[in-house]
Amino acid sequence: MTAVGEEMHALVERLYPLCRSITGDGVRATLEIVGEYVPLQVHEVPTGTQVLDWTVPQEWNIRDAYVADTAGNRVVDFAASSLHVLGYSVPVSRTMPLAELRAHLHTLPDHPAWVPYRTSYYTPEWGFCLAQETLDALPDGDYEVRIDSTLADGHLTYAEHVVPGRVPDEVIISCHVCHPSLANDNLAGIAVATFLARTLAQETPYYTYRFIYAPGTIGAITWLARNAERIERLKHGLVLACAGDAGQLTYKQSRRGDAEIDRVLRHVLATSERPHRITEFTPYGYDERQYCSPGFDLGVGSLSRTPYAGYPEYHTSADNPDFVSPEAMADTLAVCREAFAVLDRNRRYVNLSPYGEPQLGRRGLYDSLGGRSDAKQAQLAMLWVLSLSDGEHSLLDVAERSGLPFDTVAVAADALLGAGLIKA
C-alpha cells in the first residue's frame, strides 16, 4: 500500500500548480491528467443552462496577474501560486496607491506567513491574496495592478468514470475539482477516488460504480439536474474530501442517518480499530448536502480525515503537498476498499431449509472447513446465517448481531448458497 500512497502523492504534486475554479481551462487540464489514470467521459454544459434552482455561470479563465512596484518587481505574483488571485476576479489594469489597493487585498493576520484562498464566484469583483508579512513590508506608493482574465460565456466542465458491475444499481463516489493549489482540500480526494476506481476496475463488483469529478456545489447540482432518470438507480454514495492529512478518519452520515452506507462505514471503522469519528449530517460541507437534499434524499455520506475547516491550514497556502502524506491517503483508500467490499456483499437471503437445523455434514460443509484455525467461528457463522436468513436481515445484520467478522459471515453465506440451503 505504500507504493500506492506514493503514486497518489505524486498525482497530488502534479495537479497542485494548476489554477482550478468552478469553470475554465484549469478544470479541463485537471481532468486531462486524471484521464491518464482512468478513462473519463467529459461533459461540457453551456453558460446559461438552468440546473435546478441555479444557472450555469460564465466561464472564467486567467493567464496572468500581479501587483508590481514602481521598479517593476512583482510583489504579488499569480505565477508563483494560483492562490494569489481572488477566484473569478474580473480583469483589471490600473496603477493605484497602496491605500486604495488595500481594499482588494486579503490576508490572514493570525498566520502572517500563509496566503488565504478566497473567491467571488457570483459577484463581479477583483482582488489579490497574500501573506500578511508581505503586505506589512510594502511601502506606501503607487503599484501597477494587472489581472489578465476573461469572464465570458463558455461551459461548466465535469467528468465521470464508470466501473460496470453485475447489476445496474449504482454507487456514486464524488469529489470536487474546483479548488486551486490546495492539496488536502481537494487534491487528496481526487487522488483517492482515482486510485479507488483503478482498483475496482480490476475486479467484477456487484454494483456499478460511478465516479463524479465535478466543481463543488454548482457541479453536483448540474450533475443531479442532468441525471434525473438515473436517481432511482443510485443506491449508495460517498463524497471524498480532505483525504490526506494526519488526522483521524471522520465519517459524516447521510441526511437519513440510517442509510446502508452509514451502517457500513460505522461497522468498518469500528471493527478496523482505527481512531475515527462518526458525525451527524449537517447541511454544510461538501456535495453530500446536494445529494442529500430533501428532494433527492440519497444515501450519500462523506469520508474525510480532519473535516472541512477543522484544521488551521484549511483554505490556505499551508495546505500544500507537504501537508498530505502517502500513508494517510493509502489509509483512506484502504477504508474505502473495505467499505465497498462489505457493501458489495451485503445481501438478504432466505433459508430454504427453515424447519430445524439442516444437516451441514451431509452436504460436506463441515468437511470444507478442514483444518482452518477459525473452523468453529466459520461453523458458527453458518448457523447464524441460517438463523437470520428470513429475507429481512442482511449479512451486516448477521455480523453485528453475532459479533463475527463480516468477511467470515459472507464466506459462510457463499458456502450455504453453493449448497442450496439459502437463496438471495
Side-chain angles (χ1 to χ4, degrees), residues 34-345:
V34 172
E36 297 175 15
Y37 292 78
V38 293
L40 294 179
Q41 181 180 8
V42 178
H43 305 269
E44 298 276 6
V45 185
T47 296
T49 301
Q50 189 71 28
V51 286
L52 306 181
D53 195 46
W54 294 59
T55 303
V56 173
Q58 289 189 308
E59 181 177 324
W60 183 69
N61 286 294
I62 183 167
R63 288 155 293 278
D64 193 17
Y66 60 86
V67 175
D69 61 22
T70 53
N73 300 309
R74 295 190 175 193
V75 296
V76 184
D77 191 359
F78 170 74
S81 171
S82 59
L83 294 178
H84 277 308
V85 174
L86 178 77
Y88 255 63
S89 281
V90 298
V92 61
S93 182
R94 294 176 52 192
T95 297
M96 63 183 70
L98 180 60
E100 181 181 350
L101 177 59
R102 281 183 181 274
H104 298 276
L105 300 180
H106 305 272
T107 64
L108 292 167
D110 291 343
H111 297 281
W114 297 354
V115 177
Y117 163 55
R118 299 287 185 269
T119 63
S120 183
Y121 293 141
Y122 301 103
T123 302
E125 184 58 90
W126 64 268
F128 290 87
C129 299
L130 67 160
Q132 181 68 45
E133 61 187 21
T134 300
L135 177 58
D136 292 342
L138 294 181
D140 288 334
D142 288 341
Y143 290 85
E144 180 189 0
V145 178
R146 179 167 173 76
I147 298 177
D148 181 11
S149 65
T150 54
L151 196 57
D153 287 353
H155 297 83
L156 178 146
T157 309
Y158 71 90
E160 298 173 287
H161 171 76
V162 177
V163 179
R166 298 196 298 276
V167 297
D169 290 341
E170 293 189 359
V171 179
I172 57 171
I173 295 94
S174 181
C175 56
H176 58 290
V177 296
C178 53
H179 287 13
S181 297
L182 298 172
N184 198 40
D185 177 23
N186 57 344
L187 298 180
I190 293 173
V192 170
T194 301
F195 279 78
L196 177 61
R198 292 180 68 177
T199 299
L200 289 171
Q202 298 169 6
E203 305 166 359
T204 306
Y206 177 76
Y207 290 108
T208 293
Y209 285 80
R210 183 174 299 273
F211 290 79
I212 303 169
Y213 299 84
T217 304
I218 184 64
I221 286 171
T222 299
W223 187 89
L224 286 164
R226 288 164 57 89
N227 287 272
E229 78 291 346
R230 193 182 307 281
I231 299 302
E232 288 299 317
R233 297 207 301 271
L234 300 184
K235 303 303 180 183
H236 319 283
L238 190 64
V239 171
L240 290 171
C242 301
D245 67 87
Q248 65 182 359
L249 283 156
T250 300
Y251 177 68
K252 175 183 173 182
Q253 299 184 112
S254 72
R255 174 179 174 270
R256 284 153 41 183
D258 61 351
E260 191 171 346
I261 190 71
D262 300 328
R263 293 190 59 206
V264 167
L265 262 297
R266 290 197 300 260
H267 176 79
V268 166
L269 288 169
T271 57
S272 72
E273 298 184 351
R274 290 177 173 91
H276 68 276
R277 293 174 60 219
I278 305 294
T279 64
E280 298 295 327
F281 176 82
T282 63
Y284 179 76
Y286 293 108
D287 285 326
E288 67 279 356
R289 68 191 197 274
Q290 310 307 332
Y291 302 118
C292 292
S293 56
F296 296 110
D297 196 23
L298 297 173
V300 177
S302 176
L303 183 66
S304 62
R305 302 196 72 86
T306 307
Y308 52 86
Y311 51 98
E313 297 84 357
Y314 179 77
H315 280 191
T316 77
S317 57
D319 184 358
N320 57 47
D322 291 337
F323 182 65
V324 299
S325 72
E327 294 77 15
M329 285 188 286
D331 186 50
T332 306
L333 175 61
V335 168
C336 290
R337 293 182 63 181
E338 292 167 24
F340 291 129
V342 172
L343 191 68
D344 241 31
R345 294 187 293 171

